[in-house]
Amino acid sequence: MIIDAAELDATHAYKLLIGSIIPRAVAWVGTVSRDGVANLAPISFFTAVGRKPPMVSITLQPRQDGDTLKDTFVNLRDTGEFVTNLATLPQADAMHGSAFAFGPEVDEFEALGLEKAPSEVVRVPRVKGAPIAFECVVDRIMPVGDDGVDHVVWGRVVRFHVRDDLYLERGRIDTAALPAVGRLAAEYTLVDNVFTTPLDKDLLTARDGRRMQRLDTHPADWSPIDTDVWSPSGAVSPHGK
């Protein structure tokens, strides 16, 4: 199938992107408003963009109405600071729940029952228990798209927080010890295997056509897209389900 991107609305283009670019790393982004209210949200348009200085990128879409800017963007725009936390499997439910569009007056750490850990340079707290976190200061903000409501944010990492047992020599991370959670389309995946190439041909043959193994109780072909638990803005129900 060949699809002309010019004929797509934003929702359909978004579905094609998030279903094709997989798995995506999730930045569990913390911010603080001008009034000092903490916010937390998962952002899966996230990657590294530089190394000297170390830089990361997050892309933020508006709320489900298509026009209202999300609290994450407003906060980092106004304060110039944010923190990215790495979410692992034990934190996946809280991370997903933080996608709910709480009001700007709500401290999402408190709403989700999450403990805060202090940062060193920025005012934004970290998620206590997150194995890795980056303290970031905003380097630049770039509007994206025809309507300018999507924004790419580059952040300069000013502090790395790494759990002691994960840090190896010369800056290496023991990645095999991290049950990291990645984003698929409207679902998540657990990083729980590792390999180098080439792989044995018998192994490749045995896995040909096999669907992903579900860790929940849904049928193998179930997807939340086109159900009432999914929205093009990434928002979820109040209970994160």
Side-chain angles (χ1 to χ4, degrees):
M1 177 176 290
I2 299 175
I3 301 168
D4 185 349
E7 297 178 355
L8 298 174
D9 61 21
T11 298
H12 285 84
Y14 182 61
K15 287 183 180 180
L16 281 170
L17 288 171
I18 65 173
S20 304
I21 304 172
I22 58 170
R24 300 189 306 283
V26 180
W28 202 5
V29 177
T31 57
V32 170
S33 72
R34 281 180 172 173
D35 296 328
V37 180
N39 179 272
L40 199 57
I43 309 295
S44 64
F45 281 23
F46 166 60
T47 192
V49 293
R51 58 189 180 88
K52 190 176 181 181
M55 304 266 283
V56 296
S57 169
I58 58 175
T59 302
L60 295 140
Q61 294 84 32
R63 289 182 182 264
Q64 193 167 351
D65 62 14
D67 297 310
T68 306
L69 298 174
K70 290 182 177 178
D71 294 339
T72 297
F73 177 75
V74 172
N75 291 349
L76 64 82
R77 179 199 64 192
D78 291 350
T79 67
E81 300 177 342
F82 64 97
V83 169
T84 68
N85 302 273
L86 175 65
T88 55
L89 189 62
Q91 300 159 322
D93 191 53
M95 181 265 290
H96 183 65
S98 68
F100 176 64
F102 292 95
E105 74 285 354
V106 176
D107 183 318
E108 295 186 358
F109 284 81
E110 295 179 0
L112 296 163
L114 293 167
E115 291 187 62
K116 298 172 182 174
S119 295
E120 284 201 344
V121 177
V122 303
R123 287 195 310 151
V124 183
R126 297 175 290 120
V127 175
K128 186 175 182 179
I132 297 175
F134 300 162
E135 295 183 39
C136 301
V137 295
V138 173
D139 179 83
R140 66 195 71 180
I141 297 175
M142 297 160 281
V144 178
D146 297 335
D147 52 13
V149 293
D150 292 5
H151 294 87
V152 176
V153 179
W154 284 13
R156 178 166 54 90
V157 181
V158 293
R159 289 292 188 277
F160 292 86
H161 294 262
V162 181
R163 200 174 69 206
D164 289 348
D165 63 293
L166 298 175
Y167 187 83
L168 307 177
E169 71 278 0
R170 301 190 308 278
R172 291 174 54 236
I173 298 293
D174 185 6
T175 55
L178 284 167
V181 173
R183 189 71 160 154
L184 300 177
E187 300 169 287
Y188 301 98
T189 184
L190 172 65
V191 181
D192 66 350
N193 61 72
V194 60
F195 65 90
T196 59
T197 60
L199 289 172
D200 183 82
K201 290 185 178 179
D202 289 340
L203 172 66
L204 295 175
T205 299
R207 295 188 66 87
D208 186 39
R210 184 187 300 181
R211 296 186 66 87
M212 293 181 186
Q213 177 187 1
R214 297 201 68 97
L215 298 184
D216 54 31
T217 58
H218 291 297
D221 59 352
W222 183 86
S223 171
I225 289 185
D226 293 324
T227 72
D228 59 4
V229 301
W230 182 86
S231 80
S233 69
V236 301
S237 73
H239 303 291
K241 302 297 184 185

